[in-house]
Amino acid sequence: MLDFDKSGGLIPAIAQDAETGDVLMLAWMNRDAYEETLRTGRACYFSRSRGRLWRKGEESGNVQEVKEVFIDCDADTVLLKVRQIGGAACHEGYRSCFFRKVNGDVTQVIGERVFDPKQVYKE
């Protein structure tokens, strides 16, 4: 059903908290990531920077349990309604990747860090 060819093999995937409706993050999926997500019930994405599948939480333990999957009208975007396990979806340690708010020409951090990324990632 999804049209992976429309944008070169990758489609945007939005992760939304299934209970609160908060948008947690946007990532990319190729066909393999999408199929693994459906098969396992855990979010799997394609990391453009690593050039490989990225199983959400493989380093941090902050996995996403997929509750529902939706496809948009153009069949080129996926919405995952998830249960965020571990408290943070963002690799910078925040619950949501959308932790900055723009007010005019000022951007402010409105989220609180759940973990320190320097303590979690081996980069």
Side-chain angles (χ1 to χ4, degrees):
M1 167 100 195
L2 282 168
D3 189 351
F4 288 94
D5 297 327
K6 189 182 291 184
S7 55
L10 296 177
I11 59 168
I14 302 161
Q16 180 182 35
D17 187 290
E19 289 184 26
T20 67
D22 292 343
V23 176
L24 300 175
M25 58 181 275
L26 176 122
W28 298 90
M29 285 185 159
N30 63 7
R31 187 177 308 279
D32 290 340
Y34 179 71
E35 290 174 356
E36 181 172 320
T37 296
L38 294 180
R39 188 176 64 254
T40 65
R42 287 180 57 172
C44 178
Y45 302 105
F46 183 82
S47 171
R48 295 177 300 166
S49 61
R50 299 175 192 142
R52 65 174 176 82
L53 292 183
W54 157 47
R55 289 150 186 96
K56 181 69 178 144
E58 64 190 355
E59 288 184 59
S60 67
N62 294 296
V63 300
Q64 293 173 341
E65 182 180 274
V66 177
K67 298 298 189 180
E68 295 179 290
V69 178
F70 296 85
I71 298 171
D72 78 324
C73 58
D74 293 325
D76 62 2
T77 301
V78 171
L79 170 65
L80 303 177
K81 292 201 177 186
V82 302
R83 181 170 81 99
Q84 181 65 53
I85 299 169
C90 180
H91 75 282
E92 290 193 29
Y94 294 89
R95 172 169 159 59
S96 168
C97 292
F98 300 95
F99 60 87
R100 297 181 189 104
K101 183 176 180 180
V102 177
N103 290 313
D105 59 354
V106 176
T107 303
Q108 67 185 83
V109 173
I110 60 167
E112 290 186 35
R113 273 209 165 106
V114 175
F115 69 85
D116 180 355
K118 293 176 187 170
Q119 301 293 320
V120 173
Y121 299 112
K122 305 168 191 146
E123 296 175 43

